[in-house]
Amino acid sequence: MARRRKRKSRRRQEGRRILEHVPQYSIESGQEKPVTAARKFIQAEGILPPALLLVKRNEHTTDRYFWAEKGLFGAQYVEENHFLFPSLRELEHPSDKPQLATVPAV
């Protein structure tokens, strides 16, 4: 019996493409829980949102978190619901028009 391929959500794929443009930080959790390690790292480094944190739990597992204005979220949730985050809306549709410098009239 042939195995069916899992359908990839277009909305999640779009969210993943948007998150590629966000700064990423890789850390190790050590003895702490991954979310605690992420929060302490954000506090210690003074990281401003938006940012993506990759927290290595052990040699096989890495947890992904998104640091937003509203708090810390799981990256998968943000990929699926990227339209709820104002800081990602700017990355979703970057302005195609170059900014022109205005010269004051004399």
Side-chain angles (χ1 to χ4, degrees):
M1 183 181 228
R3 220 176 125 159
R4 292 179 58 188
R5 296 178 83 187
K6 188 173 180 183
R7 184 180 171 276
K8 292 189 177 181
S9 165
R10 283 194 180 140
R11 189 166 79 179
R12 187 162 175 208
Q13 285 179 324
E14 184 180 351
R16 192 172 273 254
R17 277 194 302 272
I18 292 169
L19 283 181
E20 287 175 358
H21 302 290
V22 173
Q24 293 186 7
Y25 300 91
S26 295
I27 62 172
E28 293 194 20
S29 63
Q31 297 297 320
E32 297 169 333
K33 292 182 179 181
V35 70
T36 305
R39 289 184 184 282
K40 286 185 177 181
F41 181 77
I42 290 167
Q43 183 73 31
E45 299 294 321
I47 296 172
L48 298 175
L52 194 63
L53 287 105
L54 308 173
V55 184
K56 193 169 175 90
R57 195 185 320 175
N58 57 39
E59 61 181 281
H60 304 292
T61 310
T62 301
D63 294 326
R64 298 168 56 235
Y65 297 102
F66 178 73
W67 175 233
E69 300 84 5
K70 303 174 186 179
L72 196 61
F73 295 87
Q76 184 173 342
Y77 172 80
V78 176
E79 287 172 356
E80 294 171 357
N81 302 291
H82 56 87
F83 48 86
L84 297 174
F85 297 88
S87 60
L88 294 180
R89 285 193 202 131
E90 299 165 2
L91 298 172
E92 184 177 10
H93 302 292
S95 60
D96 298 328
K97 301 175 187 175
Q99 296 292 330
L100 300 174
T102 56
V103 179
V106 179

